Amino acid sequence: MSADNGKKIFTKACAQCHTVEAGGKHKQGPNLHGVIGRKTGQAAGFTYTQANIDKGITWGDDTLDIYLTNPKKYIPGTKMVFAGLKKKKDRADLIAYMNSACQ
């Protein structure tokens, strides 16, 4: 796993809709600071779909890996338009970056 590689993936695939810094603004998607260990649909000040709120899982490496493979399959009804990352290494690198940048 490479957090440096994950940062590149985040910049290319995620930064258009998400921020990671503490107190960062919500964009089309929520700010992801503190997402690790948080339940779905819980970032203060962001309007989630009911599907996201009702999923009720806690974000961690395992749940992020499943979600990032195919977000719409894992949470049907989510408004996240990202198609997913098919390569396990890319997901692992992105999650490594999120673990360092979002806490």
Side-chain angles (χ1 to χ4, degrees), residues 23-35:
K25 294 186 184 240
H26 297 307
K27 293 182 173 182
Q28 183 175 345
N31 169 273
L32 297 176
H33 189 81
V35 71

Side-chain angles (χ1 to χ4, degrees), residues 5 17 24 30 32 34-35 41 49 55 68-69 74-75 83-84 95 98 100-101:
N5 231 20
C17 297
L32 297 176
V35 71
T49 61
K55 184 68 175 180
L68 291 169
T69 302
Y74 191 57
I75 304 181
I95 292 165
M98 291 176 69
S100 66

Side-chain angles (χ1 to χ4, degrees), residues 12 28 31 48 51 53-54 57 61 77 80 87 91-92 103:
K12 185 176 124 191
Q28 183 175 345
N31 169 273
Y48 288 93
I53 295 166
D54 292 346
I57 56 99
D61 292 2
M80 186 154 134
K87 295 180 182 172
R91 293 192 308 274
Q103 295 190 27

